[in-house]
Amino acid sequence: MAWLTSTRCRRLLAALLLAHMGAGYAREGVMADAAAPAVAPDSSQIAALASRPQPAAAEDGVARQIRDDSGREVTVPAQVHRIADGWYAHHVLLMTLGAGQRIVATVNHPQGQPWMFKVLPSLGQATAINGTAFNVETLLSDRVDLVFTSTGDRQAMAYEQAGVPVMRMGYTDLAGLQRSMLATAQALGGAQPLERAKAYNRYLDEQLATVKARVADVPQAQRPRVLHIASLDPLKVDGSDTLIDQWIQLAGGRNAAVGLKGNLQPVSAEQLLVWQPDVIVLAANAGDISPSSLLQQLPAVQQGHVVRNPAGVFPWDRYGTEVALQLEWAAQQLHPERFKEVDMVAKTMDFYRRFFDYPLTTAEAQRILKGLAP
């Protein structure tokens, strides 16, 4: 086969030696934000990364050194045309950069992320797996140039030993997201991804500035206690040291899950009665609060202060680029009088046009805002 260059031959031989090791690296599928925490840069580090000279996507065949989110320098091919993406949320970064069509192997599925597959139909042609462990031989037969994984993915070593470069990605706050956008753009090569990354980062900065300014004078004691429920059965919530905790605070709230750290933490209904949240935000796929649930005793439930989080190409509340929309949506839920003129339908349509190259209709935007599938 024409693609079986000497490099590919070496990779294939390595894959055959590694084939029996695959099960040792495999692990169960994880939620979208289960990447190990990465240390987020400050604004000066982001600016430095953005200004780093970007090599051309190049005809000269020269590989490039790119730093991934784990801090590792990765040798990336001069041409990155075919990508395997092993982190659920990272697909959205590629789509935002205009490179979603390069994904040839995926961990996402239409049942789990229906809007993603509607907005990016080519993803339906990609090799799909359950969990996050790609088969090495499949990566080679799919002629994968680069693999993206979460920072905690142990399978990455198998890909590297087979000669396929791996970038480990992960972040726990918005500054980390901005860094990931830039690092991903540089790995893709060429001017367009980098320009799109910079455009998105500017948009996110603008959203941050707008929301911060409008809630800045709200006293801490008057900020509602917000509980974000990722799942009702089993009951799991999101604590501190997470992107979820950050947008709650930026939107003018306080995380009601006091003393809890990390994403998707299991808790009891009795613990929620102790926390007494003022507002409950249910993830789009969290389920519904049963009439017989202990949670019915919560004032937030009794007073109708339970809202469903939007979910589009990716759930807005988690680790995709639509978190830029989440900021203003959440602030509007917590402080409606301060954001009453904000038209989230129009903003959603504009975002999809600008960053996903998709002509979202009014009806589609309304479904996304309600957390409904297409």
Side-chain angles (χ1 to χ4, degrees):
M1 290 178 285
W3 61 268
L4 198 58
T5 62
S6 58
T7 298
R8 295 292 181 184
C9 288
R10 289 195 296 271
R11 289 182 178 179
L12 184 56
L13 289 172
L16 293 173
L17 292 172
L18 284 164
H20 71 284
M21 299 169 59
Y25 290 106
R27 61 191 180 92
E28 294 298 320
V30 292
M31 292 290 288
D33 49 355
V39 178
D42 57 28
S43 58
S44 63
Q45 290 173 307
I46 293 173
L49 183 56
S51 63
R52 178 186 291 182
Q54 174 70 7
E59 303 294 327
D60 57 11
V62 176
R64 295 165 287 123
Q65 292 293 117
I66 308 296
R67 186 181 299 276
D68 68 13
D69 289 351
S70 72
R72 298 162 62 104
E73 290 286 344
V74 180
T75 301
V76 175
Q79 300 281 352
V80 177
H81 296 303
R82 302 175 66 81
I83 292 170
D85 204 336
W87 185 26
Y88 303 94
H90 189 263
H91 287 53
V92 191
L93 275 68
L94 290 171
M95 292 174 66
T96 305
L97 296 173
Q101 73 282 358
R102 303 192 202 184
I103 301 172
V104 297
T106 178
V107 295
N108 280 301
H109 299 270
Q111 298 84 352
Q113 307 297 344
W115 284 106
M116 180 182 291
F117 283 77
K118 182 176 180 62
V119 172
L120 183 65
S122 65
L123 195 59
Q125 305 303 313
T127 300
I129 64 167
N130 293 317
T132 59
F134 292 112
N135 179 283
V136 174
E137 292 184 56
T138 299
L139 294 181
L140 298 181
S141 65
D142 282 345
R143 296 173 288 156
V144 168
D145 300 309
L146 179 63
V147 179
F148 289 97
T149 70
S150 65
T151 51
D153 193 339
R154 290 172 294 177
Q155 181 74 2
M157 185 184 301
Y159 310 148
E160 292 171 329
Q161 289 178 325
V164 185
V166 179
M167 289 192 66
R168 297 163 171 83
M169 313 304 289
Y171 44 85
T172 58
D173 59 20
L174 297 175
L177 167 58
Q178 290 180 310
R179 175 197 56 197
S180 249
M181 288 293 294
L182 291 167
T184 301
Q186 291 182 336
L188 293 172
Q192 185 183 34
L194 190 60
E195 286 306 310
R196 290 181 70 126
K198 291 177 180 179
Y200 174 81
N201 285 352
R202 286 193 300 270
Y203 180 88
L204 181 55
D205 284 338
E206 291 166 3
Q207 291 292 98
L208 278 167
T210 297
V211 172
K212 282 183 177 180
R214 294 195 183 193
V215 302
D217 62 343
V218 179
Q220 190 69 15
Q222 294 180 19
R223 297 184 175 220
R225 297 185 302 273
V226 181
L227 184 69
H228 184 267
I229 298 180
S231 168
L232 283 164
D233 186 17
L235 186 56
K236 294 183 180 182
V237 304
D238 294 288
S240 62
D241 298 335
T242 63
L243 188 65
I244 292 84
D245 180 71
Q246 186 181 28
W247 63 249
I248 288 173
Q249 296 188 50
L250 289 168
R254 293 175 286 164
N255 196 334
V258 177
L260 193 71
K261 291 186 177 182
N263 292 300
L264 309 170
Q265 296 300 304
V267 295
S268 66
E270 289 77 9
Q271 180 60 65
L272 270 61
L273 295 177
V274 172
W275 283 330
Q276 289 289 297
D278 300 309
V279 178
I280 293 175
V281 178
L282 294 176
N285 62 350
D288 297 306
I289 298 176
S290 166
S292 61
S293 171
L294 282 176
L295 303 189
Q296 293 290 344
Q297 300 178 25
L298 291 170
V301 177
Q302 295 172 353
Q303 297 168 14
H305 296 160
V306 178
V307 295
R308 181 74 61 181
N309 211 105
V313 165
F314 205 72
W316 288 16
D317 46 356
R318 307 214 76 85
Y319 289 75
T321 56
E322 287 157 288
V323 71
L325 293 169
Q326 174 76 9
L327 293 171
E328 206 158 18
W329 174 86
Q332 190 176 58
Q333 305 307 308
L334 303 183
H335 304 283
E337 73 287 352
R338 293 170 181 255
F339 294 86
K340 57 186 177 183
E341 85 291 352
V342 174
D343 184 344
M344 288 305 304
V345 170
K347 291 185 74 73
T348 303
M349 293 170 67
D350 176 66
F351 184 93
Y352 271 60
R353 177 186 57 79
R354 292 173 61 179
F355 297 111
F356 294 143
D357 303 307
Y358 183 82
L360 198 70
T361 68
T362 299
E364 288 174 328
Q366 290 169 339
R367 292 189 67 83
I368 286 172
L369 284 160
K370 293 176 182 177
L372 299 175

